[in-house]
Amino acid sequence: MILGPKMNSASPATPVLLSDEDVLQVEDLKAHLHVGNAVVRAVDGVSFTISRGETLCIVGESGCGKSMTALAIMGLLPKPAGRIVGGRVMLQGVGDLAQRTPRQMREIRGQSVSMVFQEPMTSLNPVFRIGWQIEEAIRVHERIPQAQARERVIAMLDLVGIPSPHERYKAYPHQLSGGMRQRVMIAIALACRPKLMLADEPTTALDVTIQAQILRLMNRLKAETGASLLLITHDLGVVARMAKRVCVMYAGVIVEEADVGAIFATPLHPYTQGLLDSIPSARAGGERRRLHTVPGLVPNLAKLPQGCRFADRCPHVYGRCREEEPPLSQPTVGPLAGSAQKVRCWLHLDHRQ
């Protein structure tokens, strides 16, 4: 399949080059929502890096800031309430996305970075055929004849596993199943071969067998195109299957970051431990046990408590937790002191306890 040349229509003043291996570097990103007199700190100092061809997962319960992080990267925060108030979003060959104008971001989206949203039926326009919607993504960034664009679209539909692509080209979104619609969204995201793709819970609305198909498809396409993937999910099973590294997010901040194997083998933060304990498991001999839950609720992001944001729900809370918010850092106490894992918890950082 020939995807054709890409035109760099965005023209940042001075593109900042990251290392050869880094595609995206998010540094202390802060995205707040200004609602009346309240300031909702939806993303409150998030930092991470994604390397070439890597899959990074951000995991956490609803309301922790996962989707807002992706929307901030894409320049799609709800207006006028949402705005980036601090930090940088450095994309390889483009520069700081946080400093781009809305017009520049329209040129960058789809070409250098793209996104697959959670519910394709609300993302696809119901009054346009799917072929036209994929074709639009191509023709916005590349000045090619319509006939050539149509050939590219049919090739993309075939690539993402949609049967009879010539016929499906003419279909409307409501004529496709949920899994097929999600494949169309992936085709749109990859149409111009972006270096980075963001996927916001792309399998949540699908049944289990279709979820598995979509995950296999994303892994295959990522390998074929060389794209990096930022995958947002609340499903730790998806994390285990897809990711190389994982960031656990809670109340607008990352509370733990590590390789996937380390997160499952030696989770450090009490919130991460609670998420893992909440996974149903079959026990030998049919033994039954009560499903574990993390008590309490995510705090109000407009009225965050002093100290650790997880303190009110933590079974190990002690004095310093309610007085001072811990940094995200490598553990300095305990058996994993000095390991590559990063955690935001005084249990692993405080020598005085």
Side-chain angles (χ1 to χ4, degrees), residues 76-128:
L76 294 174
L77 289 171
K79 300 296 183 182
R83 64 194 73 165
I84 293 177
V85 298
R88 303 197 304 172
V89 181
M90 307 301 297
L91 183 64
Q92 177 64 263
V94 176
D96 188 359
L97 300 183
Q99 300 298 322
R100 296 293 171 261
T101 65
R103 180 176 180 179
Q104 288 174 328
M105 284 305 300
R106 283 194 296 271
E107 297 174 338
I108 293 168
R109 284 193 295 265
Q111 181 175 231
S112 297
V113 58
S114 61
M115 186 166 177
V116 178
F117 294 92
Q118 180 174 347
E119 177 45 68
M121 197 59 191
T122 59
S123 303
L124 294 170
N125 193 318
V127 302
F128 290 102

Side-chain angles (χ1 to χ4, degrees), residues 224-235:
E224 291 180 4
T225 63
S228 302
L229 176 63
L230 174 61
L231 179 61
I232 294 169
T233 183
H234 63 267
D235 188 337

